[in-house]
Amino acid sequence: MTDFSLTIKETSKTQVTIAILNTELSMTLTCDIQGKYSSEEADLYTRIGTEEYGLEDYFNDNPVLFRTLDESLITGSEIYKGNPDAISFDQKKIEDLDWDELNTDVGLEFGSSRFKGKVSIQDALEQYLKLDAQNTYILYDHGSGEIADYIAIQVQDNQVIVRLYHVKKMHSANYNSCMEDVYEVAGQAVKSTIWLRTKGKFTEKISSRHTVGHCKPVRGDFQECLRVLRDAGKRLTAFIVIVQPALSKSAKMTDKVQEVLAAASTYIKRAGKVQGLEIIGSK
């Protein structure tokens, strides 16, 4: 299931409709107030051992966890109440990058800019990462099924510090105001925690991505990087980083944007080896 995205398409008083999709396949499921999943389609199956399960049967046995904006958790037909006062996000934690100094077209995620002399956000981020000598290895992994757009690895005596960078362009004219600027990249950040549950799983994933032509090194030797990650004497410490110029350290942030970032930050802190969520934005 890690290669599929789950999106809530529609909600009502009696059910939630969920879209399950990747670049080639899609399916729609509904979940009623009893926590039962059903679908009019039967196109997708999952395999556990030698047994095949339709996705509606799989989700009935392994229900989606829904977390609401007040931190309540819904699983199946059970609800665990949260604390609505717990949802807050500290804007001071946003790292303000001078995108103009890096000649960045903040409306372009990757590729060539139509503005002379300007570069994409991904290219600007690569420049920024290369400026930090502590980044022993830098991997570029943009593409379908990616772990993150960029992966930076710092090697210390007793640990390796890994940061996964997720990049999205700025859609809106104003800072901290557009949900489109936040939803997708926050979802990608949360989803990537699955690869950081153990050092072995993370190492296996980047190795398999490299084998099929992704996870390309832009600094350091890839095989040497794998040897460092497989060193049993070094523990894994990880952070997930959202790179979104639309998020400002100083501009007023709408409640909705703040709620999404706070929810993503709370989830990420509880995930495996991940120490927390970091954000690279604007002043």
Side-chain angles (χ1 to χ4, degrees), residues 92-247:
K92 294 178 182 178
K93 293 182 178 180
I94 296 175
E95 179 182 351
D96 54 324
L97 195 62
D98 191 338
W99 298 103
D100 288 335
E101 185 178 350
L102 294 171
N103 295 317
T104 314
D105 178 355
V106 296
L108 180 69
E109 184 178 327
F110 62 92
S112 300
S113 175
R114 58 191 176 91
F115 301 110
K116 186 177 181 180
K118 294 284 187 179
V119 299
S120 69
I121 302 171
Q122 283 192 2
D123 289 340
L125 177 64
E126 184 172 315
Q127 292 179 49
Y128 169 78
L129 294 177
K130 286 180 175 178
L131 288 173
D132 189 346
Q134 294 185 74
N135 290 329
T136 314
Y137 305 101
I138 303 171
L139 307 176
Y140 178 64
D141 190 37
H142 178 68
S144 178
E146 68 188 30
I147 305 173
D149 293 293
Y150 281 91
I151 302 166
I153 300 170
Q154 299 179 0
V155 182
Q156 299 183 357
D157 290 341
N158 300 315
Q159 67 175 346
V160 286
I161 301 174
V162 173
R163 282 182 168 85
L164 306 187
Y165 292 84
H166 296 276
V167 177
K168 277 291 170 283
K169 68 180 182 181
M170 183 174 179
H171 293 88
S172 58
N174 300 316
Y175 295 115
N176 297 342
S177 60
C178 177
M179 295 309 299
E180 186 178 0
D181 285 331
V182 181
Y183 269 135
E184 185 178 1
V185 70
Q188 288 179 336
V190 167
K191 186 177 177 182
S192 66
T193 60
I194 191 171
W195 306 120
L196 297 167
R197 301 246 171 104
T198 67
K199 188 168 70 168
K201 186 165 189 171
F202 173 69
T203 306
E204 179 185 346
K205 180 63 176 178
I206 66 169
S207 178
S208 64
R209 291 284 295 169
H210 181 72
T211 299
V212 295
H214 300 287
C215 263
K216 299 177 180 178
V218 295
R219 173 182 286 173
D221 178 76
F222 186 80
Q223 295 305 320
E224 183 183 88
C225 175
L226 287 184
R227 286 194 293 273
V228 169
L229 288 170
R230 288 169 176 155
D231 183 347
K234 296 185 185 295
R235 71 179 185 276
L236 174 67
T237 300
F239 296 87
I240 293 177
V241 187
I242 286 174
V243 182
Q244 173 50 276
L247 296 174

